[in-house]
Each structure stands twice: as structure tokens, then as C-alpha cells.
Amino acid sequence: MNPTIELLKSHRSIRKFTDQPVSRELLEELIRAGQGAATSSHVQAYTVIHVKNPENREKIAELAGGQSYVATCGAFLMFCADMKRPTEAAERTGARVIRGMTEQLLVASVDTALMAQNVAIAAESEGLGICYIGGVRNNPQQISDLLGLPDHVYPVFGMCLGYPAHQPDVKPRLPVEAILKEDSYRDDREEVEAFDATMHAYYQTRKGGNKASNWSNNLTPLFDTKLRPHMREFLVKRGFEMK
């Protein structure tokens, strides 16, 4: 395989970092790499906030569920879906702008995710480790207030960046047969059951902590306790009415 594919397949979430800082020059280059990602209609509906203030990073770490590495990583970025910039740009041309459409929320969220993944890959190619912080959606209003986010902008996730202080194992992924289907959707229960066995073995032998679990068991919080029902009301208040 070529080095790019090998890099993509070797991703691990890094949660322990050395004290080595991430230079401003490298950070800007990573953002430029992020901007190279595909973007719907060239809208580029994202804004990235480099959170440098230590107190703000401590607050975000707490608001995101007590994730201390937010405060200790070399650099912390907040990736925001931003429909303020493009809608205002269109208005300045004299266009009639309709806000709050569900499609606008989807475009901004997808654009942001694609851009962030480019940043992640670029960072890892430079020897950095990364960890996405979806926990910022636990308290999105408080984080929006902390960072001065205007209407039509919302925090999608954060990203910890830094030089790794540990090398965790690569976590297995679902088999290709479960993901890649031919011509139409088909049930993949057998592949999932086999993958549960793979993940159980992984959790029993991985470095840095063992547990008795599998993939299906780990999904429970997503559909039980980590529902974040506040997100709809929050997004409506931010101007994403989802019409």
C-alpha cells in the first residue's frame, strides 16, 4: 500500500501529549490543508477557533465532560459550522437570502467535518496526534458564549492536537463486507456478530487498560444516555430553524 493509505489506516485517538508546543507556522499549514477538502458549492461553511486562553481551555475541558487533555494538549481547535459568512456574503450581492433551512445545517456540518478530517490527516502526517472532542455538544450554549459565537454558527466538535506521549493500539474497524454493499442494502448481522468477537478480544488484550465489552455493548450510551436532546432547541436558537 502507498504511504497515504497506510497513514489513514493507522489512526489512533491520542489523549496524552508531550509538552512540545505546536508552532503557529505548522498550525496555519494544517488549516490550509483542511481548506483543501471538498466543500459543497465552494461555500466553505466553517470557522476554526484556536483556543489559546488557558482558562477557557479548562472551562471547555469541564463542559465537554471532564476531558482534561483539552487543557493539556499542544493546541486545541474548535471546529464550527458557519452559515453566517456565506449568507451575509450573498446578501451583499443583493440576493434574497432564506435562512434556517435544514439543507444549510447539513451543508455546514458536512463541510466542517470534511475540513477537520483533512486537518487530522495532515497533522498525523507531521507526527502529531489528534483526538476529536464531540463532548463540546454536551453544553453547546455555554461554549458558544465562551467563544463569542454569533447566530448561524455552532460548535460541531473540538480537536486536540499535539505530540503523542503514548502509542495506543489501532482500534479494529468493521469488516469491509459490512460497510461495502453491492447494488442494494443488505443485512449485515453476521458481520456485526463477528466484529463483536474481534472487539472483545481487542479490549481484553489492548495496552493501557482492559475491559470486558464489544462493539454492540459500547453503542448503548449513544442510544440511551448520550442523546443530547437539547441540540435541536439550541440549533433553532442559533438560527438553524431546520425548515
Side-chain angles (χ1 to χ4, degrees), residues 205-223:
T205 60
R206 69 174 178 177
K207 294 179 292 187
N210 302 331
K211 64 179 180 178
S213 188
N214 60 33
W215 183 71
S216 295
N217 287 336
N218 285 349
L219 295 176
T220 300
L222 182 63
F223 304 105

Side-chain angles (χ1 to χ4, degrees), residues 217-242:
N217 287 336
N218 285 349
L219 295 176
T220 300
L222 182 63
F223 304 105
D224 182 16
T225 56
K226 293 185 178 180
L227 300 175
R228 297 182 179 128
H230 56 269
M231 282 301 297
R232 186 180 188 280
E233 181 180 358
F234 165 75
L235 288 169
V236 170
K237 288 181 178 179
R238 304 301 295 180
F240 295 96
E241 286 93 348
M242 294 179 279

Side-chain angles (χ1 to χ4, degrees), residues 41-241:
S41 300
H42 204 221
V43 175
Q44 303 170 82
Y46 42 69
T47 286
V48 183
I49 298 178
H50 178 202
V51 184
K52 298 174 64 177
N53 184 299
E55 292 183 2
N56 286 351
R57 284 176 58 167
E58 290 282 358
K59 290 176 183 176
I60 292 171
E62 181 181 353
L63 291 169
Q67 301 188 64
S68 60
Y69 29 94
V70 169
T72 58
C73 61
F76 181 74
L77 305 178
M78 189 69 71
F79 286 84
C80 304
D82 186 347
M83 268 295 166
K84 178 179 184 294
R85 181 190 304 113
T87 52
E88 290 182 353
E91 279 183 323
R92 288 194 291 271
T93 71
R96 181 177 71 94
V97 170
I98 299 173
R99 289 180 168 85
M101 302 302 294
T102 301
E103 175 66 5
Q104 294 166 1
L105 172 63
L106 291 172
V107 164
S109 300
V110 171
D111 264 19
T112 304
L114 292 174
M115 189 268 190
Q117 186 61 10
N118 258 31
V119 171
I121 296 164
E124 290 176 340
S125 76
E126 287 289 329
L128 296 173
I130 74 103
C131 184
Y132 281 101
I133 306 296
V136 302
R137 298 191 302 278
N138 291 349
N139 294 285
Q141 187 60 60
Q142 293 94 318
I143 287 176
S144 296
D145 293 342
L146 187 68
L147 301 180
L149 303 186
D151 288 346
H152 307 290
V153 179
Y154 88 93
V156 184
F157 42 68
M159 182 188 290
C160 294
L161 285 167
Y163 293 93
H166 70 146
Q167 295 294 336
D169 297 328
V170 175
K171 187 176 290 185
R173 263 35 178 191
L174 282 160
V176 171
E177 293 77 13
I179 303 299
L180 180 63
K181 305 176 193 298
E182 301 294 337
D183 292 324
S184 62
Y185 196 92
R186 66 167 180 77
D187 185 76
D188 47 31
R189 180 171 177 173
E190 289 185 6
E191 287 88 349
V192 168
E193 290 177 348
F195 186 60
D196 277 339
T198 298
M199 288 304 300
H200 177 76
Y202 163 80
Y203 285 128
Q204 289 290 297
T205 60
R206 69 174 178 177
K207 294 179 292 187
N210 302 331
K211 64 179 180 178
S213 188
N214 60 33
W215 183 71
S216 295
N217 287 336
N218 285 349
L219 295 176
T220 300
L222 182 63
F223 304 105
D224 182 16
T225 56
K226 293 185 178 180
L227 300 175
R228 297 182 179 128
H230 56 269
M231 282 301 297
R232 186 180 188 280
E233 181 180 358
F234 165 75
L235 288 169
V236 170
K237 288 181 178 179
R238 304 301 295 180
F240 295 96
E241 286 93 348

